[in-house]
Amino acid sequence: MSSLSRGDRGGLYREVPAGLGDLLPEAAARCHAVRAAILGVMARWGYRPVVPPLLEYAEAFTRALSSPAEEASLYTLVDRATGHALAIRSDFTPQVARLVAGRFQDATLPLRLCYEGSALRHVPAQRGRSRELHQAGAELLGVQDPEADAEAIALTVACLTEAGVGEFKVDVGQVEFYKGILLGTDLSPEDQDALTSAVARKDGSDLSRLLGDLPIPDAKKHLLAELPLLAGGVEVIGRAEALVESDHSRAALANLARVVDFVDAHGLAHHLTVDLGEIRGVDYHTGVIFEAFVHHLGVPLCRGGRYDRLLERYGRSLPATGFSLDLLALMEALHLAAPGAPGAAPRGGFVVNFRPQRGDALALAQALRAAGVRSARDLIRRPLEDSLTHARAEGFRWAAVLRPAAGSACVLVDLAAGSEEALTPAELVRRVAEEN
């Protein structure tokens, strides 16, 4: 980021800072393509889009938050007109919950809704962490059955596959399994938070130290110590059943097993791993949770799970599950998997005019666009080679050159091969449209 310095006259800035998370044309084009692919999959699965506002009353978000730390992640401001506290969207799911509770009262169930856009979260100043998230996600509301959880996982797999991600795994957990272990332990909120943090971090030494001091039965201590190790294939569910004593935890395992069976019915069980030590959002989630990973990237491409109690905070009791995809993480995964992969192929026609009047050039550019071809005019008069260099830099496949003599044929230049061909305007449009 460049520094800011004031000019000597007029108080103008000589330099402006680089944006936080700028996407330049090539990356932005890829992001749009990935987003379009994902939204296309969601539409084919019956999910309808909603577009909640970027800025709304802070209460719409704080109702969904479970801790002061989560509330601190919001960017807030005061509406100067009304004095109300406003917040910039940090997560789409609370907004979808608000919409469903207030605007879909008479809708038949289930509801399948999807969204895409940016969210903004305050994060500690760490390199590589962006405040702005580019997301696309889906929510399935009104169904308690495990098939709904399996649909959310299967849709995640379909979205990642359509976006071009090759080898990936969906890591599946069940937070109710952990909650069942803690039932009847009578731990203080502080001790429970410390224990949950150690399990979530899979910190064996810290977990061992905590368990030595906590007043809980040895059998539970043994199970909690094993929890970070209960990860692997679907056989983990059977290993956990042999260890657990709580009916609540047994029911959670049975639910997880049914979800896995439904995912297998989709033909996608090979994408799954099971991790019962994954207890992300234990105060928010109410069942199966999942994340999608690729081996060469340390952050998840997707996070999702069941959140049956969220809509109660907005005045309506309704089971729900869903997920959101991190588009920038997904793009990074695609790049790391194939760093030498080419960007978007050049396409479209760049119109270069050497005639005194501009009407012919404008008409040709309009005709190309009408044929569905990307087209722009060179607005700067310069040597032809300079115009062709600019056209290549802008990602055009062809250049259409209008020579000075009015009524003469256009020259179609193949910007890759450098070859030229004289054509009438109609022939040029037809030729470029056929190969666009």
Side-chain angles (χ1 to χ4, degrees), residues 283-364:
D283 294 325
Y284 171 83
H285 287 294
T286 58
V288 166
I289 60 173
F290 57 92
E291 295 179 317
F293 289 95
V294 288
H295 73 275
H296 49 276
L297 189 66
V299 296
L301 308 181
C302 166
R303 282 181 166 166
R306 179 162 288 279
Y307 54 95
D308 288 343
R309 291 197 294 269
L310 177 61
L311 271 81
E312 294 174 359
R313 304 178 191 182
Y314 297 88
R316 186 179 183 185
S317 180
L318 203 64
T321 186
F323 66 90
S324 66
L325 291 146
D326 183 335
L327 298 183
L328 295 187
L330 203 161
M331 288 172 59
E332 186 175 357
L334 293 171
H335 171 72
L336 292 174
R347 63 186 184 86
F350 189 65
V351 179
V352 183
N353 181 41
F354 289 102
R355 295 178 183 172
Q357 303 300 321
R358 306 180 188 191
D360 291 344
L362 289 169
L364 180 56

Side-chain angles (χ1 to χ4, degrees), residues 22-56:
D22 292 331
L23 289 181
L24 300 184
E26 188 172 337
R30 284 198 217 101
C31 188
H32 284 306
V34 166
R35 181 188 292 115
I38 288 168
L39 293 177
V41 172
M42 292 176 179
R44 291 195 294 274
W45 282 59
Y47 286 74
R48 296 182 296 158
V50 292
V51 184
L54 179 64
L55 183 71
E56 64 173 295

Side-chain angles (χ1 to χ4, degrees), residues 37-398:
I38 288 168
L39 293 177
V41 172
M42 292 176 179
R44 291 195 294 274
W45 282 59
Y47 286 74
R48 296 182 296 158
V50 292
V51 184
L54 179 64
L55 183 71
E56 64 173 295
Y57 292 118
E59 186 188 5
F61 299 104
T62 57
R63 284 192 189 192
L65 303 179
S66 304
S67 70
E70 290 179 333
E71 193 163 340
S73 71
L74 287 174
Y75 280 92
T76 58
L77 61 154
V78 175
D79 185 347
R80 287 178 290 182
T82 65
H84 291 304
L86 303 176
I88 299 172
R89 175 173 58 230
S90 61
D91 187 5
F92 278 90
T93 305
Q95 294 185 295
V96 174
R98 173 186 60 75
L99 281 171
V100 170
R103 308 291 291 275
F104 288 85
Q105 289 284 351
D106 298 325
T108 58
L109 300 176
L111 282 168
R112 289 181 170 92
L113 302 175
C114 63
Y115 57 82
E116 62 85 18
S118 295
L120 197 65
R121 297 177 189 170
H122 176 74
V123 296
Q126 295 180 15
R127 186 177 181 182
R129 296 191 66 185
S130 175
R131 294 175 177 86
E132 185 175 7
L133 304 173
H134 296 263
Q135 296 182 324
E139 312 293 344
L140 176 52
L141 306 105
V143 183
Q144 182 71 57
D145 194 272
E147 188 175 356
D149 301 270
E151 179 172 312
I153 294 170
L155 180 54
T156 296
V157 172
C159 288
L160 292 175
T161 301
E162 184 74 10
V165 182
E167 296 294 324
F168 62 90
K169 288 291 184 181
V170 180
D171 197 15
V172 183
Q174 228 294 4
V175 296
E176 296 300 322
F177 176 76
Y178 174 71
K179 293 177 185 178
I181 299 172
L182 296 188
L183 286 176
T185 56
D186 198 27
L187 293 176
S188 69
E190 295 76 17
D191 284 341
Q192 187 165 320
D193 288 346
L195 180 60
T196 299
S197 176
V199 172
R201 289 182 285 108
K202 302 188 187 301
D203 188 333
S205 60
D206 192 24
L207 182 57
S208 178
R209 179 186 59 78
L210 281 169
L211 290 173
D213 297 333
L214 293 179
I216 56 179
D218 288 343
K220 286 186 181 290
K221 287 184 178 181
H222 175 67
L223 180 52
L224 288 165
E226 288 289 314
L227 203 49
L229 305 177
L230 289 174
V234 294
E235 75 282 352
V236 167
I237 299 174
R239 284 167 49 199
E241 287 174 340
L243 296 171
V244 76
E245 297 178 349
S246 161
D247 289 340
H248 189 99
S249 294
R250 286 198 182 95
L253 289 174
N255 170 266
L256 177 58
R258 290 194 65 201
V259 172
V260 170
D261 285 344
F262 278 121
V263 174
D264 190 34
H266 284 275
L268 301 173
H270 60 284
H271 282 289
L272 298 185
T273 60
V274 175
D275 186 354
L276 293 174
E278 176 54 58
I279 54 172
R280 166 182 50 86
V282 69
D283 294 325
Y284 171 83
H285 287 294
T286 58
V288 166
I289 60 173
F290 57 92
E291 295 179 317
F293 289 95
V294 288
H295 73 275
H296 49 276
L297 189 66
V299 296
L301 308 181
C302 166
R303 282 181 166 166
R306 179 162 288 279
Y307 54 95
D308 288 343
R309 291 197 294 269
L310 177 61
L311 271 81
E312 294 174 359
R313 304 178 191 182
Y314 297 88
R316 186 179 183 185
S317 180
L318 203 64
T321 186
F323 66 90
S324 66
L325 291 146
D326 183 335
L327 298 183
L328 295 187
L330 203 161
M331 288 172 59
E332 186 175 357
L334 293 171
H335 171 72
L336 292 174
R347 63 186 184 86
F350 189 65
V351 179
V352 183
N353 181 41
F354 289 102
R355 295 178 183 172
Q357 303 300 321
R358 306 180 188 191
D360 291 344
L362 289 169
L364 180 56
Q366 290 169 353
L368 286 166
R369 294 182 197 122
V373 175
R374 172 180 180 244
S375 182
R377 245 183 23 85
D378 194 351
L379 300 179
I380 298 176
R381 293 271 184 165
R382 51 186 153 189
L384 177 58
E385 278 306 316
D386 291 349
S387 291
L388 299 184
T389 297
H390 178 71
R392 292 186 187 95
E394 290 293 297
F396 284 95
R397 173 71 177 82
W398 309 92

